[in-house]
Every structure is written in structure tokens, then in C-alpha cells.
Amino acid sequence: MNFIENPIIRGFNPDPSIIRVEDDYYIATSTFEWFPGIQIHHSNDLVNWCLIKRPLNRVSQLDLRGVPDSCGVWAPCLSYDNGTFYLVYSNVKSFSGAWKDTHNYLITATDINGEWSDPMFLNSRGFDGSLFHDDDGKKWYVSMLLDHRKGKTFGGIMLQEFDLKMGKLIGPAHNIFKGSSLGLTEGPHLYKKDGYYYLLTAEGGTEYGHAATMARSVDIKGPYEISPDHPFITSRDHKDYYLQKSGHADLVETKTGDWLAVFLCARPLTPNGLCILGRETAIETVDWLENDWPKLRSGSSLPRIKVPISGNSSKGICQVSSRDDFDKEEVAIQFQSLRIPITEDWASLKARPGFLCLYGRESLSSIHEQSLLARRVQSLKMEASTCLEFSPRSFQQMAGIVCYYNTTHFHYLHLTVNENMQKCLQIITYDHLNQFEALINPVILNDNNTVFLKASLEGADLQFYFSDNEDEWIKIGPVLNAGILSDDYVRDGGDRYSPAFTGAFVGICCQDLSGNQIPAYFDWFNYQEYDYNFSKKIKREIA
């Protein structure tokens, strides 16, 4: 017997949608303002998952310029029918205040690793849409309904038929489910089994009260009754458990007839604490009881940390290099940019072979055109380092290594020049739009054209380093609070109605606020992670 250890996809990978095609499993997760959009991971043993594709890689599919933080791509739904992959997603343009702008689209492909189609517009009624392929050949689109009246927001689950030949929704829309007493009903998925339509939704909000709710009906249009074992998945009653915020789930049947649920979770540093890694993806086994209601095999709504599973887990292990020497034709798949495609005009691997050239553009607070490439932080103990060559001519020109959550929360170690045109290092922290400079006196560098920069994270402690030879690292600045790189901190310390749904990234960037697009050259980027021991107050198992 083998075990799957949760979470299975670590770091910011929320809202999982899972399918099986023959022996292959695929999970799609949300990416919000990061480009290309939607992460698709693959596994053939359910233990080892490898990032293989981000299908929204063209502006014609995904235009994110100007979208606010934590808007953009929400809750994709991946499905498969008769040789075609279907992918439904939202592109959220605004979400603060009573009014929301949520546009929903569908793309298709016959090869999940190939090029996906340009999008078919579905509607702007709500978000978290999914596509259900009924056994009579009909296709149904289901999503939550936005209701701006009297501060309501969540108006139930809507169902409407989709006509593939016409490429649009047809017929009347039906409000089929108002949700349970947990409220905030969203993230719907439909299934059909033994004469029943099963509706799985997310409820309770995507924080510490999060849950998944199961309901069913003999008619796809309802009415739906809620499972007597409600909720289906949750950690809300176990505040000191390792896997928190459990909910927003999807089901899949294995080739042997077993069933699995994937769902989002988060791992706080302390009970009810900060989840710096963001919302992650976990898995559980599911049994269908004699009365046909599904239930977690754990025997309760609480997911397990180690999930027993049969089969061989030795194949399909994903090998990812920790170091990128920027000597390939394309930027490594681990990197994403903010809101815009990674193109040669601002992120060039050809301008100087063996280096990544970032041409300085807008500030780290920009929601339009930044020159930033970053990857997810997937362990609370990690080191990221880089080698930089940069010749700034103004204090408005900067380049370096950044630990980033959004445009108002980041720690940035960068190279610039002072009033005397001396190269120097400074650390800027942005916290709720307040800027702090960590060094009263920036560190003056010698005439060496190369500087090495490093970020070291352990728990909520972040320490920057620099070096002129990569062998002798020197601390720079104080220990910084990495807790500001979490949903919890951003949401609880700011506007409760502004979304905060992503996670911590680490990467490299260049700004030229003078508009001259000065280049910075990065020789390599290295990311190394280690095991982290969570607080002893966090329970690893529940009796």
C-alpha cells in the first residue's frame, strides 16, 4: 500500500478541477493575474504531479492588462468528451464593492499539450463556471450567480444548456440551488451516477470557514437536496489541524471504479495563522454509501494528510531543475509574468545568449506592463538566488530579486545608483501601499559589474543576502516579515471587499521609471527548497 501525502500540488494552486483520460490524470488550477493562464498538472499515479501546460498563452484568449490584484483567471473547469478537452474559465475584470465584472469563456483542444482554441464567450452572469456532459449528448453550463442587491453577492447556482455547434448558451437559465446555511455558494460541478444528478459546490468562503457541499436531484434542473452528511469536506471545526480552508472540490472516477476528490487547502504557520504559500491542492478517496451518497473514506468530512492508495507510485516522477541558466530558447515553465505574455521585446533570451535580458519598464505597483518573471514559493524553507549585471544611470532604474504577493505587498532587494552615481543596494518593502526602505544607508558596491543576490525564507522570516563571488554571502538588511505575502495578511489588514487569493512568489525584475527601458542581465536563477517543520501546535493527525 502506498500513500499520497497532502497537499499533492504545493504552493499557490487553488480551485482544482480534475479529469481522467485512460491512464492519465490532469488537474487545472486558478492563476488570477499571472500569465500564461491556468496551470495544468499531469500524473499517472496520483502521487507525482508535473506542471505540463498553461493553455491561456495568447492575448486573444486572455487579456489581463489592467485587471486588479487577485482578479483575472478564476476557478477553471477542465472536462473531456469524445476526444476533445474542454476548459471553462472566468476572466474577472473587477471585484471590489457591490459591482463585479466577471466574463466567462470556453476553449477546446484535441491535444492537452497542444494549442488551444480561441475562446467562445459564455456569459458574464457570475463566476466559477463548469461544463457538464450529459449521457444524452447535451452539454450544460453551471455557475454561481452574482447578485449586487443589498450586499448579497451570492445569488445561487445557475444552469443553462450549451450548444457546441452554435458556440453559445441557449434556452432559459435556471436557478437550481440556493445553497446551505453555510452560505457563499460557488464553485459548482455536476456529475451523474445511478439515476441522480450530484451537485458539488464550495461554500463558507475560501478562508477558515471553507467547505464543500454535496446535493443531488433526479432532475438536472432540481430541486436538489443536501446530503445528510453535510458538509462533504471541511476543516472549519478543527482550527489547529494541518490542512485548513479545505473546500472547493471536484470528483473523478479511476479506471478501477474507485472515486477521488481533489480540493483546495492551506497550511498556516500557526493555528488560524498566515498561509504564506497560498491555497494548495489536496486529494482524498471517496466511497459511495448504500444510499448512494458519497462520503470521504476517512469516515468524516475532515481530509487526511496521508491517504492510502493502491498501485505503483514509482513512475511519472517529475524532475524539475532547481537552476535555470537561461540557455534555452524559452523561459522555463516554472516562471510566469504579471498580466502580459512573456515576449522577446521585454524578456529576451537572444539579446545576450546565456543571459535573460529584462528591459526596465513600469514599477512593481503597475497593473499593466511590468518586467518581472517569478515562480511560486512551494516550501516555507527555501533559498532563491541570482547573478545580475546591471548599469543603472538613475535612481529611477532598478533591478534585483523580489519576494512578491501583489502590487501592494512585496520585499525587493535591488541594485540602483545614489545621487553620486555610485552603484548601491537597497531593500524596499511595500505593505498596504506604505513604502519602507530597510537601509538608512544603502550598501555601496565596488566597480565589479556583477553582483549576486539571494533571498532566504524560513517560516515567516525572510533574509536577503548579497555577494561579489557567490561563495561568501553577506546579510543585508534586517529579518523581514514574509507574513505580508499571504492572503490572510493582505485581506485582514486592508479592504475586506478587495480580493486576495494568490500566494507568495520569488523572482527577478527590472524597472526603468524614466521610460528609457534600460536592460538588466541575469546569468541564472536558482530556487532550492527544504523541509519545513510546522508549529508543534499544528496537529498532524486527528484521532
Side-chain angles (χ1 to χ4, degrees):
M1 181 68 67
N2 294 303
F3 290 87
I4 305 174
E5 185 169 353
N6 280 319
I8 55 171
I9 305 177
R10 303 193 170 205
F12 159 49
N13 277 285
D15 312 322
S17 173
I18 187 170
I19 61 169
R20 177 182 63 85
V21 180
E22 298 298 336
D23 294 329
D24 297 296
Y25 295 88
Y26 303 97
I27 290 178
T29 55
S30 299
T31 45
F32 297 87
E33 68 264 39
W34 292 90
F35 199 101
I38 303 178
Q39 299 225 119
I40 296 180
H41 284 79
H42 166 261
S43 177
N44 51 29
D45 62 7
L46 297 169
V47 178
N48 303 286
W49 293 87
C50 185
L51 177 63
I52 61 167
K53 185 71 176 180
R54 295 197 189 98
L56 301 180
N57 56 19
R58 308 189 300 275
V59 174
S60 62
Q61 298 169 313
L62 183 65
D63 186 357
L64 293 177
R65 279 172 52 96
V67 304
D69 294 329
S70 283
C71 289
V73 178
W74 286 19
C77 173
L78 181 63
S79 61
Y80 180 81
D81 184 52
N82 290 325
T84 299
F85 294 92
Y86 297 81
L87 192 53
V88 170
Y89 62 98
S90 302
N91 184 359
V92 178
K93 294 295 187 177
S94 65
F95 206 74
S96 296
W99 304 100
K100 325 291 182 186
D101 296 291
T102 59
H103 310 309
N104 300 289
Y105 303 91
L106 169 67
I107 59 173
T108 62
T110 55
D111 179 1
I112 200 167
N113 289 296
E115 285 299 304
W116 288 68
S117 70
D118 277 342
M120 291 173 269
F121 174 74
L122 296 171
N123 66 24
S124 302
R125 184 181 293 130
F127 55 87
D128 289 6
S130 67
L131 195 64
F132 170 65
H133 310 273
D134 209 341
D135 52 17
D136 62 0
K138 289 186 176 181
K139 300 184 186 300
W140 296 89
Y141 175 73
V142 59
S143 72
M144 66 81 68
L145 173 68
L146 282 166
D147 188 344
H148 62 269
R149 299 169 297 179
K150 299 180 181 180
K152 187 176 182 181
T153 303
F154 294 85
I157 300 301
M158 300 297 294
L159 174 79
Q160 190 172 3
E161 187 177 351
F162 174 76
D163 188 300
L164 183 59
K165 290 182 179 179
M166 298 177 67
K168 65 178 183 179
L169 299 174
I170 61 172
H174 308 271
N175 196 322
I176 61 173
F177 187 60
K178 293 294 187 179
S180 77
S181 60
L182 295 178
L184 307 179
T185 307
E186 57 187 342
H189 293 289
L190 275 170
Y191 318 88
K192 192 173 186 181
K193 188 177 188 300
D194 300 330
Y196 283 99
Y197 291 94
Y198 288 86
L199 177 64
L200 180 58
T201 61
E203 291 198 296
T206 189
E207 302 173 41
Y208 283 95
H210 202 205
T213 294
M214 184 68 71
R216 74 180 183 185
S217 172
V218 294
D219 188 333
I220 195 170
K221 298 174 186 176
Y224 283 83
E225 63 171 324
I226 296 172
S227 168
D229 294 312
H230 175 66
F232 179 56
I233 298 173
T234 192
S235 309
R236 59 186 290 133
D237 298 323
H238 299 274
K239 299 300 185 184
D240 56 353
Y241 191 47
Y242 178 66
L243 301 177
Q244 286 297 318
K245 305 183 181 180
S246 299
H248 199 121
D250 193 13
L251 300 180
V252 69
E253 185 178 10
T254 70
K255 199 170 185 178
T256 59
D258 292 328
W259 285 79
L260 301 165
V262 293
F263 54 96
L264 71 79
C265 67
R267 295 176 290 163
L269 282 166
T270 58
N272 271 340
L274 303 177
C275 302
I276 295 172
L277 301 181
R279 298 169 302 153
E280 307 172 289
T281 289
I283 199 167
E284 251 294 359
T285 46
V286 173
D287 289 326
W288 294 82
L289 306 181
E290 291 183 2
N291 61 358
D292 290 332
W293 283 108
K295 188 177 180 65
L296 298 188
R297 192 169 294 172
S298 63
S300 74
S301 298
L302 188 69
R304 293 169 292 183
I305 297 166
K306 288 190 175 182
V307 180
I309 190 167
S310 59
N312 186 354
S313 63
S314 62
K315 61 180 180 177
I317 297 176
C318 185
Q319 300 292 337
V320 178
S321 175
S322 63
R323 182 178 172 115
D324 190 337
D325 286 306
F326 301 126
D327 54 2
K328 304 292 192 300
E329 294 184 357
E330 295 182 351
V331 173
I333 195 172
Q334 286 74 33
F335 286 103
Q336 282 184 281
S337 65
L338 281 167
R339 298 176 175 84
I340 55 173
I342 302 169
T343 52
E344 186 70 17
D345 63 319
W346 68 269
S348 175
L349 291 168
K350 298 178 181 178
R352 184 178 174 187
F355 288 76
L356 173 67
C357 173
L358 295 183
Y359 293 97
R361 294 195 299 178
E362 295 175 351
S363 73
L364 284 169
S365 293
S366 171
I367 57 173
H368 291 91
E369 291 187 343
Q370 291 199 37
S371 292
L372 177 148
L373 289 177
R375 58 152 297 148
R376 285 156 178 75
V377 176
Q378 296 179 283
S379 172
L380 284 173
K381 188 173 182 179
M382 73 87 196
E383 288 186 348
S385 54
T386 191
C387 175
L388 169 65
E389 294 184 18
F390 185 49
S391 299
R393 299 183 294 272
S394 163
F395 71 92
Q396 291 183 308
Q397 298 166 340
M398 297 161 278
I401 190 167
V402 62
C403 294
Y404 183 95
Y405 178 85
N406 66 9
T407 58
T408 60
H409 296 83
F410 54 80
H411 297 292
Y412 182 27
L413 171 60
H414 61 276
L415 172 64
T416 186
V417 292
N418 61 18
E419 291 80 358
N420 298 319
M421 296 302 295
Q422 296 172 297
K423 285 187 179 181
C424 59
L425 293 174
Q426 177 62 280
I427 299 170
I428 289 177
T429 290
Y430 247 51
D431 182 352
H432 294 309
L433 274 179
N434 296 309
Q435 176 178 304
F436 304 94
E437 294 181 343
L439 306 176
I440 297 176
N441 297 307
V443 174
I444 306 299
L445 298 178
N446 57 31
D447 293 331
N448 191 336
N449 194 40
T450 301
V451 64
F452 300 86
L453 307 175
K454 181 168 72 172
S456 180
L457 175 71
E458 185 162 5
D461 293 337
L462 173 66
Q463 177 69 62
F464 282 120
Y465 296 82
F466 76 101
S467 175
D468 60 5
N469 59 22
E470 194 183 355
D471 295 324
E472 298 179 6
W473 291 100
I474 302 169
K475 288 183 180 181
I476 181 170
V479 174
L480 301 169
N481 176 20
I484 73 169
L485 310 178
S486 68
D487 298 345
D488 317 271
Y489 182 92
V490 173
R491 186 184 298 112
D492 293 345
D495 181 357
R496 291 284 300 176
Y497 298 99
S498 293
F501 298 138
T502 56
F505 280 70
V506 62
I508 50 181
C509 57
C510 181
Q511 298 81 37
D512 189 345
L513 307 184
S514 70
N516 291 314
Q517 296 192 338
I518 188 172
Y521 299 96
F522 295 88
D523 191 5
W524 48 261
F525 180 87
N526 190 57
Y527 171 87
Q528 193 73 45
E529 60 186 42
Y530 309 92
D531 290 335
Y532 176 78
N533 292 321
F534 282 79
S535 166
K536 293 181 180 179
K537 297 178 181 179
I538 300 282
K539 290 185 179 179
R540 296 285 301 187
E541 297 292 347
I542 298 292

